[in-house]
Amino acid sequence: MNYESLPPFANEAYRDFSEPIHRAAMEAALAQARTELGREYDLWIDGRPEKGGPYKLKSYNPSRPAELIGVHQKASAEQANRAIEAAHTYFPTWNAVPPIERVKLLFQAVAILKRRKSEFNAWMVLEAGKSWAEAEADTAEAIDFCDYYARQMLRLATPGPLVQMPGEAGHLVYLGLGVGVIIPPWNFPLAILVGMTVAALVTGNTVVIKPSSETPTIAAKFIEVLQEAGFPPRSYTFLPGAGSEIGDLIVTHPKTRFISFTGSKEVGLRINELAAKTQPGQRWIKRVIAEMGGKDAIIVDREVPDIDAAAAGVISSAFGFQGQKCSACSRVIVDESIYDRFVAKLKPLAEAFPQGPVISASAEKTILNYIEIGKQEGRLITGGAKSTEEGHVIPPTIIADIEATDRIFQEEIFGPVLAVTKARDFDHALQLANDSEYGLTGAVYTSNEEKLEQARRDFFVGNLYLNRKCTGAMVGAHPFGGFNMSGTDSKAGGPDYLLQFLQAKSIAEKQL
Ligand code: NAD
């Protein structure tokens, strides 16, 4: 097997659940998952299962808050310490495994995830409150990450030739770094967890996975995939626990070599700061790969090619998975000449948009609080209060006439709340879009080529979309990661991503 001999990478297709065969598969998977609700899962440390202390971590269904999904251990400080030490001890063995063998295991994981697709979807419906379609996209992305990174590792296993000095043979090899601490968020509970984990593993690192406390069951199910695929039991660790109890410990541990984090700006910056401090006995500068929040803007210009398509794109970007995507559109910046007409188009689309729950009671509280702030700052168009439905449901909320200095223009809300702002012209719209500490995604709707060119040049985001929505990045097609306080621009799902998990060694041999 080599990189060139494989068929080209193709994204995993989404199933259409209006087709009876696919609907039946999902219904069966949900019924099966329901038989396992409330099951207890173990930690996985140094190749063996372990229990934690008497206090357990419990996850619940955001659509039915009383429904217990999974019971998980809370790793103690002693267990977290031991986990890092054990991963460090096993690292040289795993790093010495030829890349092609690691790649084969990852292709095994692809096959298993494809087979268990409906099952993973079902757990995401139950534990994260995803719709079937959103869950399908999440599982497909997880499959794509595995498939794509397996191929990229094959490519890196035989780096291109170097300039050869006379009388010398020179080459370059890529080595793993060491123990990677993997800290994913709950909003793509499978895709992001899987992407960060397998990127680290396939490059020869051992991983200590601390899942999000909102979605530990999905993570535990993925540990089963690693097991089934044949990854050595000591190459990965499953370490649920309270961020406040073991978070700092695993980040600051002197044997931790890197931290791969996706989550909020606050936690990411704390990790970055803690990781920068050299600990006694530490022999390297830790790397931090951090992907953080967003306050993503879509510009709708007066020369919008199709105002209805733009309104639909904004609504889907703002309210898909209840706005709980780092890429979600939370600001729409509209040219004054079409402002009223555009706002009028948004309202019915938002009201017809399918509703779902936000992740937790505490998220609900934060979002409702921002909605109250927004009502003071602007003009409520639709939504604005909790739904009477069961679960943490907040309907799509739109607040117009928001200024750049308003809090709901600047702060990440991470829920179904869209701020609408008026721009004098395109220059002003771009200036407003860039008036943010974040820089993750952005989009522009215009038919004017000069304005598109201006956006290509001046819209300061890691992922720019022209005449389309700003969510739905596809592995391989839209390498993903943000500028400024949105993170280290790691470009997940892109050709450069794996380099962050590797160190290159240059070897030059004098010919005798
Ligand atoms: P979060 O920052 O609250 O938590 C992320 C992870 O960090 C979780 O696993 C959590 O348990 C852990 N954690 C919390 N405190 C910790 C500590 N002190 N030490 C170590 N770990 C700790 O974020 P979240 O609520 O899970 O996710 C939502 C956030 O993630 C949003 O800000 C969103 O924009 C961002 N996000 C970004 C991207 C991206 O690619 N840029 C993708 C998805 C989500």
Side-chain angles (χ1 to χ4, degrees), residues 70-209:
V71 176
H72 294 263
Q73 314 302 317
K74 275 189 183 174
S76 66
E78 181 278 323
Q79 285 170 316
N81 231 320
R82 199 153 39 76
I84 302 276
E85 293 287 348
H88 175 74
T89 304
Y90 189 67
F91 164 67
T93 310
W94 176 237
N95 195 33
V97 170
I100 184 136
E101 299 305 322
R102 301 195 301 256
V103 165
K104 282 184 190 160
L105 297 177
L106 195 44
F107 280 130
Q108 280 301 316
V110 171
I112 297 163
L113 282 170
K114 283 184 187 231
R115 194 185 76 228
R116 294 175 63 172
K117 217 165 144 178
S118 298
E119 178 193 343
F120 275 104
N121 287 358
W123 286 108
M124 281 191 275
V125 169
L126 293 169
E127 198 172 45
K130 292 220 166 193
S131 67
W132 290 16
E134 295 279 359
E136 174 85 354
D138 198 321
T139 308
E141 189 176 7
I143 293 169
D144 286 350
F145 278 136
C146 294
D147 193 355
Y148 187 83
Y149 294 149
R151 290 155 188 268
Q152 292 302 318
M153 188 63 231
L154 276 182
R155 181 174 64 82
L156 293 168
T158 46
L162 299 175
V163 171
Q164 298 295 314
M165 300 307 285
E168 252 183 37
H171 65 277
L172 192 69
V173 285
Y174 287 107
L175 308 173
L177 292 166
V179 178
V181 166
I182 310 292
I183 307 182
W186 53 262
N187 70 326
F188 282 89
L190 188 64
I192 294 181
L193 162 92
V194 169
M196 298 202 304
T197 300
V198 303
L201 276 173
V202 79
T203 43
N205 305 285
T206 50
V207 292
V208 174
I209 304 164

Side-chain angles (χ1 to χ4, degrees), residues 68-381:
L68 180 65
I69 303 298
V71 176
H72 294 263
Q73 314 302 317
K74 275 189 183 174
S76 66
E78 181 278 323
Q79 285 170 316
N81 231 320
R82 199 153 39 76
I84 302 276
E85 293 287 348
H88 175 74
T89 304
Y90 189 67
F91 164 67
T93 310
W94 176 237
N95 195 33
V97 170
I100 184 136
E101 299 305 322
R102 301 195 301 256
V103 165
K104 282 184 190 160
L105 297 177
L106 195 44
F107 280 130
Q108 280 301 316
V110 171
I112 297 163
L113 282 170
K114 283 184 187 231
R115 194 185 76 228
R116 294 175 63 172
K117 217 165 144 178
S118 298
E119 178 193 343
F120 275 104
N121 287 358
W123 286 108
M124 281 191 275
V125 169
L126 293 169
E127 198 172 45
K130 292 220 166 193
S131 67
W132 290 16
E134 295 279 359
E136 174 85 354
D138 198 321
T139 308
E141 189 176 7
I143 293 169
D144 286 350
F145 278 136
C146 294
D147 193 355
Y148 187 83
Y149 294 149
R151 290 155 188 268
Q152 292 302 318
M153 188 63 231
L154 276 182
R155 181 174 64 82
L156 293 168
T158 46
L162 299 175
V163 171
Q164 298 295 314
M165 300 307 285
E168 252 183 37
H171 65 277
L172 192 69
V173 285
Y174 287 107
L175 308 173
L177 292 166
V179 178
V181 166
I182 310 292
I183 307 182
W186 53 262
N187 70 326
F188 282 89
L190 188 64
I192 294 181
L193 162 92
V194 169
M196 298 202 304
T197 300
V198 303
L201 276 173
V202 79
T203 43
N205 305 285
T206 50
V207 292
V208 174
I209 304 164
K210 196 218 77 62
S212 164
S213 300
E214 309 288 357
T215 52
T217 308
I218 295 157
K221 296 283 169 195
F222 180 64
I223 297 296
E224 294 173 9
V225 174
L226 293 177
Q227 266 156 2
E228 197 184 333
F231 282 88
R234 295 170 71 201
S235 62
Y236 54 88
T237 304
F238 182 56
L239 200 73
S244 53
E245 279 167 36
I246 60 165
D248 288 1
L249 189 156
I250 56 181
V251 168
T252 57
H253 197 292
K255 303 266 171 64
T256 295
R257 180 64 179 83
F258 68 96
I259 298 106
S260 181
F261 168 83
T262 306
S264 62
K265 179 190 84 174
E266 289 68 27
V267 176
L269 290 181
R270 177 179 173 79
I271 287 174
N272 190 47
E273 197 175 324
L274 289 175
K277 173 136 180 53
T278 314
Q279 302 295 329
Q282 184 180 321
R283 292 194 158 178
W284 40 68
I285 300 173
K286 288 180 190 173
R287 277 192 202 170
V288 176
I289 305 151
E291 289 308 315
M292 315 195 298
K295 192 71 200 174
D296 310 306
I298 295 184
I299 295 176
V300 185
D301 180 46
R302 67 182 65 176
E303 293 177 83
V304 56
D306 175 345
I307 195 167
D308 292 300
V314 167
I315 291 293
S316 153
S317 306
F319 301 122
F321 191 37
Q322 294 74 258
Q324 302 172 112
K325 297 182 186 177
C326 54
S327 57
C329 169
S330 55
R331 300 180 292 153
V332 58
I333 298 165
V334 187
D335 188 287
E336 62 182 13
S337 65
I338 56 164
Y339 186 83
D340 292 336
R341 191 152 70 96
F342 192 75
V343 172
K345 287 198 178 282
L346 290 178
K347 186 172 157 42
L349 292 177
E351 286 167 1
F353 200 81
Q355 298 184 14
V358 299
I359 189 71
S360 62
S362 95
E364 178 188 306
K365 193 165 158 231
T366 307
I367 296 163
L368 290 173
N369 187 37
Y370 269 115
I371 289 177
E372 289 313 310
I373 294 167
K375 284 179 187 167
Q376 304 296 315
E377 293 177 333
R379 172 168 56 102
L380 182 71
I381 302 294

